[in-house]
Tab-separated table of all heavy atoms in Angstrom:
chain	number	residue	atom	x	y	z
A	1	SER	N	127.564	132.724	142.278
A	1	SER	CA	126.453	133.668	142.333
A	1	SER	C	125.638	133.502	143.601
A	1	SER	O	125.016	134.442	144.088
A	1	SER	CB	125.571	133.532	141.104
A	1	SER	OG	124.895	132.296	141.126
A	2	GLY	N	125.592	132.292	144.138
A	2	GLY	CA	124.886	132.052	145.380
A	2	GLY	C	123.384	131.923	145.217
A	2	GLY	O	122.649	131.951	146.186
A	3	VAL	N	122.923	131.762	143.996
A	3	VAL	CA	121.473	131.683	143.750
A	3	VAL	C	120.933	130.312	144.087
A	3	VAL	O	119.999	130.157	144.841
A	3	VAL	CB	121.157	132.052	142.276
A	3	VAL	CG1	119.679	131.883	141.985
A	3	VAL	CG2	121.593	133.461	141.985
A	4	GLU	N	121.549	129.275	143.510
A	4	GLU	CA	120.988	127.930	143.642
A	4	GLU	C	121.405	127.211	144.927
A	4	GLU	O	120.599	126.666	145.646
A	4	GLU	CB	121.419	127.092	142.430
A	4	GLU	CG	120.793	125.718	142.415
A	4	GLU	CD	121.250	124.916	141.215
A	4	GLU	OE1	121.601	125.511	140.193
A	4	GLU	OE2	121.265	123.690	141.320
A	5	LYS	N	122.699	127.257	145.245
A	5	LYS	CA	123.203	126.436	146.347
A	5	LYS	C	123.628	127.227	147.574
A	5	LYS	O	123.975	126.679	148.582
A	5	LYS	CB	124.443	125.666	145.867
A	5	LYS	CG	124.188	124.739	144.714
A	5	LYS	CD	125.498	124.121	144.318
A	5	LYS	CE	125.333	123.322	143.038
A	5	LYS	NZ	126.582	122.826	142.545
A	6	GLY	N	123.648	128.550	147.489
A	6	GLY	CA	124.198	129.326	148.589
A	6	GLY	C	125.612	129.732	148.269
A	6	GLY	O	126.027	130.823	148.602
A	7	GLY	N	126.355	128.866	147.637
A	7	GLY	CA	127.669	129.156	147.076
A	7	GLY	C	128.634	129.930	147.947
A	7	GLY	O	128.582	129.896	149.176
A	8	HIS	N	129.498	130.663	147.299
A	8	HIS	CA	130.504	131.456	147.989
A	8	HIS	C	129.948	132.800	148.441
A	8	HIS	O	130.510	133.447	149.315
A	8	HIS	CB	131.711	131.705	147.085
A	8	HIS	CG	132.450	130.452	146.751
A	8	HIS	ND1	132.212	129.762	145.597
A	8	HIS	CD2	133.379	129.750	147.422
A	8	HIS	CE1	132.991	128.705	145.561
A	8	HIS	NE2	133.706	128.672	146.654
A	9	ALA	N	128.904	133.241	147.805
A	9	ALA	CA	128.350	134.552	148.114
A	9	ALA	C	127.476	134.455	149.350
A	9	ALA	O	126.375	133.929	149.298
A	9	ALA	CB	127.552	135.058	146.924
A	10	LYS	N	127.965	134.977	150.446
A	10	LYS	CA	127.224	134.872	151.703
A	10	LYS	C	126.381	136.127	151.960
A	10	LYS	O	125.231	136.026	152.360
A	10	LYS	CB	128.185	134.641	152.862
A	10	LYS	CG	127.462	134.435	154.182
A	10	LYS	CD	128.406	134.040	155.277
A	10	LYS	CE	127.624	133.790	156.561
A	10	LYS	NZ	128.504	133.412	157.657
A	11	PHE	N	126.959	137.300	151.725
A	11	PHE	CA	126.255	138.552	152.017
A	11	PHE	C	125.833	139.260	150.741
A	11	PHE	O	126.502	139.196	149.734
A	11	PHE	CB	127.150	139.475	152.837
A	11	PHE	CG	127.468	138.941	154.207
A	11	PHE	CD1	128.711	138.403	154.489
A	11	PHE	CD2	126.515	138.947	155.201
A	11	PHE	CE1	129.002	137.910	155.751
A	11	PHE	CE2	126.790	138.448	156.465
A	11	PHE	CZ	128.046	137.940	156.738
A	12	GLU	N	124.691	139.969	150.833
A	12	GLU	CA	124.175	140.741	149.713
A	12	GLU	C	124.016	142.185	150.156
A	12	GLU	O	123.463	142.465	151.215
A	12	GLU	CB	122.819	140.182	149.269
A	12	GLU	CG	122.242	140.868	148.072
A	12	GLU	CD	120.925	140.273	147.653
A	12	GLU	OE1	119.973	140.323	148.463
A	12	GLU	OE2	120.849	139.729	146.543
A	13	CYS	N	124.490	143.109	149.313
A	13	CYS	CA	124.411	144.534	149.612
A	13	CYS	C	122.946	144.968	149.491
A	13	CYS	O	122.295	144.698	148.487
A	13	CYS	CB	125.286	145.317	148.637
A	13	CYS	SG	125.224	147.085	148.900
A	14	PRO	N	122.404	145.661	150.500
A	14	PRO	CA	121.010	146.081	150.424
A	14	PRO	C	120.764	147.206	149.420
A	14	PRO	O	119.628	147.441	149.014
A	14	PRO	CB	120.696	146.563	151.856
A	14	PRO	CG	122.019	146.911	152.422
A	14	PRO	CD	123.026	146.020	151.769
A	15	HIS	N	121.813	147.883	148.982
A	15	HIS	CA	121.663	149.028	148.060
A	15	HIS	C	121.744	148.610	146.590
A	15	HIS	O	120.919	149.035	145.801
A	15	HIS	CB	122.710	150.081	148.369
A	15	HIS	CG	122.770	150.463	149.806
A	15	HIS	ND1	121.764	151.137	150.458
A	15	HIS	CD2	123.717	150.216	150.765
A	15	HIS	CE1	122.074	151.309	151.732
A	15	HIS	NE2	123.262	150.766	151.939
A	16	CYS	N	122.740	147.790	146.237
A	16	CYS	CA	122.941	147.453	144.819
A	16	CYS	C	122.818	145.968	144.536
A	16	CYS	O	123.011	145.530	143.414
A	16	CYS	CB	124.295	147.974	144.332
A	16	CYS	SG	125.690	147.242	145.179
A	17	LYS	N	122.539	145.152	145.554
A	17	LYS	CA	122.313	143.706	145.439
A	17	LYS	C	123.530	142.908	144.967
A	17	LYS	O	123.392	141.787	144.513
A	17	LYS	CB	121.130	143.412	144.488
A	17	LYS	CG	119.828	144.057	144.877
A	17	LYS	CD	119.353	143.590	146.213
A	17	LYS	CE	118.014	144.222	146.536
A	17	LYS	NZ	117.673	144.103	147.930
A	18	ILE	N	124.721	143.479	145.088
A	18	ILE	CA	125.927	142.727	144.748
A	18	ILE	C	126.246	141.809	145.929
A	18	ILE	O	125.922	142.103	147.061
A	18	ILE	CB	127.113	143.646	144.392
A	18	ILE	CG1	128.193	142.884	143.674
A	18	ILE	CG2	127.667	144.321	145.625
A	18	ILE	CD1	129.229	143.765	143.006
A	19	THR	N	126.888	140.661	145.648
A	19	THR	CA	127.162	139.694	146.700
A	19	THR	C	128.655	139.672	147.051
A	19	THR	O	129.493	140.013	146.219
A	19	THR	CB	126.740	138.277	146.273
A	19	THR	OG1	127.363	137.946	145.040
A	19	THR	CG2	125.228	138.202	146.118
A	20	ALA	N	128.961	139.246	148.274
A	20	ALA	CA	130.326	139.156	148.747
A	20	ALA	C	130.440	137.930	149.651
A	20	ALA	O	129.487	137.553	150.334
A	20	ALA	CB	130.723	140.405	149.516
A	21	PRO	N	131.644	137.296	149.701
A	21	PRO	CA	131.791	136.084	150.484
A	21	PRO	C	131.895	136.292	152.001
A	21	PRO	O	131.534	135.393	152.745
A	21	PRO	CB	133.088	135.459	149.955
A	21	PRO	CG	133.840	136.614	149.408
A	21	PRO	CD	132.828	137.587	148.908
A	22	ASP	N	132.347	137.460	152.431
A	22	ASP	CA	132.471	137.675	153.872
A	22	ASP	C	132.196	139.131	154.227
A	22	ASP	O	132.005	139.976	153.364
A	22	ASP	CB	133.840	137.221	154.381
A	22	ASP	CG	134.996	137.954	153.706
A	22	ASP	OD1	134.753	138.829	152.881
A	22	ASP	OD2	136.150	137.636	154.051
A	23	LEU	N	132.162	139.388	155.519
A	23	LEU	CA	131.803	140.710	156.027
A	23	LEU	C	132.841	141.771	155.668
A	23	LEU	O	132.485	142.898	155.305
A	23	LEU	CB	131.630	140.633	157.550
A	23	LEU	CG	131.047	141.868	158.229
A	23	LEU	CD1	129.659	142.143	157.705
A	23	LEU	CD2	131.006	141.650	159.723
A	24	LYS	N	134.113	141.418	155.742
A	24	LYS	CA	135.175	142.368	155.436
A	24	LYS	C	135.128	142.818	153.965
A	24	LYS	O	135.273	144.010	153.655
A	24	LYS	CB	136.541	141.729	155.757
A	24	LYS	CG	137.710	142.659	155.532
A	24	LYS	CD	137.735	143.760	156.562
A	24	LYS	CE	138.969	144.634	156.371
A	24	LYS	NZ	138.939	145.812	157.213
A	25	THR	N	134.887	141.874	153.064
A	25	THR	CA	134.773	142.203	151.650
A	25	THR	C	133.573	143.091	151.393
A	25	THR	O	133.636	144.031	150.589
A	25	THR	CB	134.660	140.924	150.811
A	25	THR	OG1	135.748	140.060	151.162
A	25	THR	CG2	134.699	141.211	149.331
A	26	MET	N	132.473	142.829	152.090
A	26	MET	CA	131.282	143.660	151.923
A	26	MET	C	131.534	145.063	152.458
A	26	MET	O	131.062	146.052	151.891
A	26	MET	CB	130.090	143.023	152.642
A	26	MET	CG	128.787	143.793	152.476
A	26	MET	SD	128.335	144.154	150.764
A	26	MET	CE	127.847	142.548	150.210
A	27	GLN	N	132.292	145.181	153.525
A	27	GLN	CA	132.623	146.500	154.076
A	27	GLN	C	133.509	147.292	153.109
A	27	GLN	O	133.288	148.488	152.900
A	27	GLN	CB	133.337	146.341	155.436
A	27	GLN	CG	133.557	147.650	156.146
A	27	GLN	CD	134.117	147.434	157.540
A	27	GLN	OE1	134.357	146.313	157.965
A	27	GLN	NE2	134.304	148.509	158.253
A	28	ILE	N	134.469	146.609	152.477
A	28	ILE	CA	135.319	147.269	151.474
A	28	ILE	C	134.478	147.729	150.287
A	28	ILE	O	134.641	148.842	149.795
A	28	ILE	CB	136.442	146.320	151.023
A	28	ILE	CG1	137.412	146.064	152.170
A	28	ILE	CG2	137.166	146.849	149.797
A	28	ILE	CD1	138.373	144.937	151.930
A	29	HIS	N	133.551	146.883	149.833
A	29	HIS	CA	132.655	147.246	148.741
A	29	HIS	C	131.820	148.461	149.119
A	29	HIS	O	131.674	149.386	148.330
A	29	HIS	CB	131.720	146.069	148.405
A	29	HIS	CG	130.452	146.495	147.736
A	29	HIS	ND1	130.419	146.842	146.409
A	29	HIS	CD2	129.192	146.684	148.206
A	29	HIS	CE1	129.171	147.209	146.089
A	29	HIS	NE2	128.423	147.120	147.154
A	30	HIS	N	131.293	148.455	150.317
A	30	HIS	CA	130.407	149.539	150.755
A	30	HIS	C	131.151	150.867	150.848
A	30	HIS	O	130.633	151.910	150.416
A	30	HIS	CB	129.798	149.198	152.132
A	30	HIS	CG	128.633	150.039	152.477
A	30	HIS	ND1	128.753	151.278	153.050
A	30	HIS	CD2	127.301	149.840	152.298
A	30	HIS	CE1	127.571	151.803	153.236
A	30	HIS	NE2	126.663	150.948	152.782
A	31	GLU	N	132.362	150.858	151.360
A	31	GLU	CA	133.172	152.082	151.440
A	31	GLU	C	133.546	152.614	150.063
A	31	GLU	O	133.642	153.819	149.870
A	31	GLU	CB	134.425	151.817	152.275
A	31	GLU	CG	134.128	151.612	153.735
A	31	GLU	CD	135.333	151.113	154.520
A	31	GLU	OE1	136.410	150.937	153.907
A	31	GLU	OE2	135.210	150.908	155.740
A	32	ALA	N	133.741	151.722	149.094
A	32	ALA	CA	134.120	152.137	147.739
A	32	ALA	C	132.927	152.598	146.911
A	32	ALA	O	133.025	153.598	146.186
A	32	ALA	CB	134.827	150.991	147.021
A	33	LYS	N	131.811	151.909	147.021
A	33	LYS	CA	130.665	152.174	146.148
A	33	LYS	C	129.587	153.064	146.764
A	33	LYS	O	128.821	153.696	146.052
A	33	LYS	CB	130.012	150.856	145.692
A	33	LYS	CG	130.958	149.956	144.933
A	33	LYS	CD	131.376	150.579	143.630
A	33	LYS	CE	132.344	149.654	142.878
A	33	LYS	NZ	132.838	150.230	141.659
A	34	HIS	N	129.474	153.046	148.084
A	34	HIS	CA	128.415	153.825	148.762
A	34	HIS	C	129.046	154.669	149.875
A	34	HIS	O	128.707	154.489	151.057
A	34	HIS	CB	127.357	152.899	149.352
A	34	HIS	CG	126.934	151.800	148.425
A	34	HIS	ND1	126.212	152.026	147.293
A	34	HIS	CD2	127.145	150.463	148.487
A	34	HIS	CE1	125.975	150.866	146.677
A	34	HIS	NE2	126.538	149.908	147.380
A	35	PRO	N	129.951	155.599	149.557
A	35	PRO	CA	130.665	156.331	150.628
A	35	PRO	C	129.775	157.279	151.431
A	35	PRO	O	130.101	157.584	152.579
A	35	PRO	CB	131.740	157.101	149.856
A	35	PRO	CG	131.207	157.226	148.472
A	35	PRO	CD	130.379	156.018	148.228
A	36	LYS	N	128.663	157.737	150.856
A	36	LYS	CA	127.815	158.696	151.582
A	36	LYS	C	126.860	158.034	152.538
A	36	LYS	O	126.322	158.677	153.430
A	36	LYS	CB	127.017	159.526	150.563
A	36	LYS	CG	127.909	160.402	149.692
A	36	LYS	CD	127.113	161.218	148.719
A	36	LYS	CE	128.029	162.055	147.852
A	36	LYS	NZ	127.307	162.810	146.845
A	37	ILE	N	126.642	156.720	152.367
A	37	ILE	CA	125.714	155.993	153.241
A	37	ILE	C	126.536	155.283	154.317
A	37	ILE	O	127.509	154.607	154.009
A	37	ILE	CB	124.925	154.948	152.427
A	37	ILE	CG1	124.201	155.613	151.257
A	37	ILE	CG2	123.926	154.209	153.302
A	37	ILE	CD1	123.625	154.639	150.260
A	38	PRO	N	126.158	155.429	155.598
A	38	PRO	CA	126.929	154.740	156.652
A	38	PRO	C	126.754	153.227	156.574
A	38	PRO	O	125.683	152.735	156.257
A	38	PRO	CB	126.332	155.310	157.941
A	38	PRO	CG	124.998	155.823	157.584
A	38	PRO	CD	125.080	156.242	156.132
A	39	PHE	N	127.838	152.512	156.854
A	39	PHE	CA	127.814	151.045	156.803
A	39	PHE	C	127.128	150.491	158.039
A	39	PHE	O	127.543	150.741	159.165
A	39	PHE	CB	129.246	150.505	156.721
A	39	PHE	CG	129.321	149.005	156.660
A	39	PHE	CD1	128.912	148.318	155.532
A	39	PHE	CD2	129.791	148.294	157.739
A	39	PHE	CE1	128.997	146.941	155.472
A	39	PHE	CE2	129.869	146.898	157.701
A	39	PHE	CZ	129.471	146.229	156.560
A	40	GLU	N	126.061	149.735	157.828
A	40	GLU	CA	125.327	149.110	158.930
A	40	GLU	C	125.309	147.607	158.704
A	40	GLU	O	124.707	147.127	157.723
A	40	GLU	CB	123.914	149.644	159.020
A	40	GLU	CG	123.844	151.129	159.373
A	40	GLU	CD	122.422	151.633	159.446
A	40	GLU	OE1	121.552	150.857	159.887
A	40	GLU	OE2	122.200	152.777	159.065
A	41	GLU	N	125.956	146.885	159.566
A	41	GLU	CA	126.058	145.430	159.431
A	41	GLU	C	124.705	144.751	159.538
A	41	GLU	O	124.459	143.719	158.915
A	41	GLU	CB	127.017	144.908	160.509
A	41	GLU	CG	127.398	143.467	160.339
A	41	GLU	CD	128.397	143.041	161.398
A	41	GLU	OE1	129.246	143.853	161.789
A	41	GLU	OE2	128.317	141.887	161.820
A	42	SER	N	123.816	145.331	160.288
A	42	SER	CA	122.501	144.706	160.495
A	42	SER	C	121.621	144.738	159.246
A	42	SER	O	120.696	143.933	159.128
A	42	SER	CB	121.764	145.422	161.635
A	42	SER	OG	121.570	146.806	161.294
A	43	LYS	N	121.886	145.631	158.288
A	43	LYS	CA	121.081	145.707	157.069
A	43	LYS	C	121.504	144.727	155.990
A	43	LYS	O	120.803	144.562	155.001
A	43	LYS	CB	121.153	147.121	156.494
A	43	LYS	CG	120.361	148.134	157.291
A	43	LYS	CD	120.272	149.448	156.566
A	43	LYS	CE	119.421	150.432	157.318
A	43	LYS	NZ	119.314	151.714	156.621
């Protein structure tokens, strides 16, 4: 979960607060769950 120790979850989605271990996984999540919003790595 990444709450207590930082864990495997490195990135958190700014829209739905789901976590992902790396940038590529977060990009796949974003394209699947938020297709109308452009993916911005800085957010």
Side-chain angles (χ1 to χ4, degrees):
S1 68
V3 176
E4 185 180 334
K5 301 177 188 174
H8 295 96
K10 184 173 182 181
F11 294 105
E12 183 179 63
C13 179
H15 309 292
C16 62
K17 303 298 182 196
I18 197 167
T19 55
D22 58 3
L23 189 61
K24 183 70 177 172
T25 307
M26 183 53 72
Q27 187 174 1
I28 292 168
H29 157 77
H30 196 276
E31 290 170 0
K33 301 295 180 183
H34 316 291
K36 295 180 181 177
I37 305 169
F39 180 71
E40 295 180 36
E41 190 177 325
S42 61
K43 287 189 176 181

